Amino acid sequence: MKQNIPLSFEFFPPKTAEGIANLRETRTQLAKFNPEFFSVTFGAGGSTTDRTKETVFEIQAEGYQAAPHISCISSSKEEIRTLLSAYKAKGIKRLVTLRGDVPSGEVSVGDFKYANELVSFIRQEAGDWFHLEVAAYPEFHPEALSAAKDMANFKRKVDAGADSAITQYFYNADAYFRFVDSCEADGITIPIVPGIMPIYNYTQLARFSGICGAEIPRWLRLRLEAYADDMPSLRALGIDVVSELCETLLSWGVPSLHFYTLNQAGIISKIIENLDKK
Ligand SMILES: Cc1cc2nc3c(=O)[nH]c(=O)nc-3n(C[C@H](O)[C@H](O)[C@H](O)COP(=O)(O)OP(=O)(O)OC[C@H]3O[C@@H](n4cnc5c(N)ncnc54)[C@H](O)[C@@H]3O)c2cc1C
């Protein structure tokens, strides 16, 4: 890539043989951008533990750096300890360390309540073996009681030993810039990498954004809605908007870009190629 910006790509662990084959093809296409690592999500409560592990080990065996996500909600210390040992034994060096979403109707939250407790536990158990990524929310976490409290809670994760952070996606670059400024004012110096969500499908994006508190600006929402039945136009607009967002972030000097791939390479490849043309 012309600008030599470090990149990373996030996958979910596929369920079927077809999904596994598709992800291999996606990986081959994205590997040409020389990413720092590929990360693999984890279903809260451990619902994907085996699939996350298998996917991560396959990526690692292909010679790429693989980073499993690990969420602590509903987990015991013993379960996390076992998982850490398995990753260490395979030479995994990076983890995306999360609380996870609280499942509805959940009675027991397990041994951990928040991600900062998981970060502390991993540091106690494994010292500096793992590079620990945590989640950051430029538009604030949906459960946050206030912006100030969410910032303070983010700082707890950093103080517990996080090495860097990846943000929830956003389409308003100012939210990210202000978040990084506030972090600097609070003495937080770890890299905060913007998470980039390409626009694949409006209905899915609107639903997910509602749940995770990522705002789709009105002008963009109305334009995307107008293309609801015209996928080629929707994707072309999405590629344009997200390429411009990445360009703005790069010119501001972000440390890296982390792409939410939904296990697809086509749209992301176009966005990265657009950046190369600038
Ligand atoms: C880059 C990225 C990757 C993700 N990957 C996954 C994945 O693989 N699997 C998955 O299930 N989910 C994933 N998520 C979603 C994430 O699990 C949810 O957003 C979840 O609700 C919060 O996780 P967290 O680690 O940010 O939690 P926390 O940092 O624990 O924060 C959760 C909420 O609690 C508050 N809080 C935090 N600490 C305290 C404290 N000590 N006292 C009081 N309040 C506190 C915070 O302000 C926030 O509102 C990901 C999110 C991002 C940004």
Side-chain angles (χ1 to χ4, degrees):
M1 202 185 159
K2 193 171 72 184
Q3 312 194 39
N4 265 342
I5 172 99
L7 300 173
S8 52
F9 298 111
E10 179 172 316
F11 302 133
F12 61 84
K15 273 190 186 146
T16 60
E18 196 187 347
I20 292 171
N22 168 65
L23 182 56
R24 285 185 187 133
E25 177 54 31
T26 295
R27 231 160 35 228
T28 306
Q29 290 180 40
L30 294 176
K32 68 175 191 251
F33 299 114
N34 203 15
E36 255 192 318
F37 64 91
F38 291 118
S39 82
V40 182
T41 61
F42 185 89
S47 57
T48 69
T49 307
D50 289 343
R51 285 188 284 120
T52 298
K53 266 202 290 194
E54 284 156 18
T55 310
V56 155
F57 294 159
E58 182 176 324
I59 294 172
Q60 184 94 345
E62 287 169 350
Y64 305 115
Q65 191 182 150
H69 294 209
I70 173 168
S71 78
C72 60
I73 200 80
S74 314
S75 297
S76 68
K77 288 187 175 170
E78 205 38 53
E79 283 163 333
I80 299 289
R81 194 174 281 128
T82 305
L83 202 49
L84 294 176
S85 303
Y87 286 142
K88 209 171 161 186
K90 288 278 189 180
I92 299 290
K93 295 288 289 179
R94 186 186 289 259
L95 300 173
V96 182
T97 313
L98 305 147
R99 182 195 69 177
D101 284 322
V102 183
S104 54
E106 185 65 32
V107 182
S108 155
V109 292
D111 285 339
F112 304 90
K113 216 167 164 201
Y114 297 109
N116 67 294
E117 297 164 22
L118 179 61
V119 173
S120 298
F121 181 73
I122 297 175
R123 284 289 175 238
Q124 261 171 39
E125 292 287 310
D128 288 335
W129 174 267
F130 296 108
H131 176 112
L132 297 182
E133 304 271 0
V134 289
Y137 301 86
E139 295 178 320
F140 305 109
H141 187 266
E143 290 164 35
L145 297 179
S146 69
K149 288 201 167 113
D150 210 33
M151 285 302 302
N153 290 330
F154 177 63
K155 190 166 190 305
R156 284 180 211 268
K157 297 194 275 196
V158 178
D159 292 344
D163 295 295
S164 47
I166 302 171
T167 75
Q168 184 57 278
Y169 67 88
F170 53 87
Y171 295 104
N172 179 354
D174 282 341
Y176 170 84
F177 299 145
R178 286 204 171 259
F179 183 81
V180 174
D181 284 348
S182 304
C183 287
E184 281 171 6
D186 276 355
I188 295 171
T189 55
I190 62 167
I192 298 170
V193 174
I196 307 295
M197 181 66 91
I199 298 170
Y200 302 96
N201 168 312
Y202 174 67
T203 315
Q204 195 185 28
L205 182 72
R207 188 173 50 81
F208 192 55
S209 300
I211 296 169
C212 72
E215 192 174 83
I216 308 176
R218 178 182 157 83
W219 66 267
L220 178 57
R221 187 166 47 80
L222 292 180
R223 282 178 189 274
L224 292 172
E225 263 173 21
Y227 287 143
D229 297 322
D230 177 0
M231 207 47 114
S233 301
L234 181 131
R235 292 200 168 170
L237 172 64
I239 289 169
D240 231 36
V241 167
V242 176
S243 301
E244 267 174 35
L245 172 65
C246 292
E247 186 59 32
T248 305
L249 293 167
L250 289 173
S251 51
W252 196 75
V254 295
S256 173
L257 296 173
H258 179 83
F259 283 93
Y260 296 106
T261 71
L262 305 192
N263 294 6
Q264 298 174 40
I267 288 180
I268 290 178
S269 300
K270 289 207 169 82
I271 293 169
I272 297 174
E273 283 154 14
N274 278 347
L275 299 177
D276 273 346
K277 284 185 208 138
K278 301 268 172 175

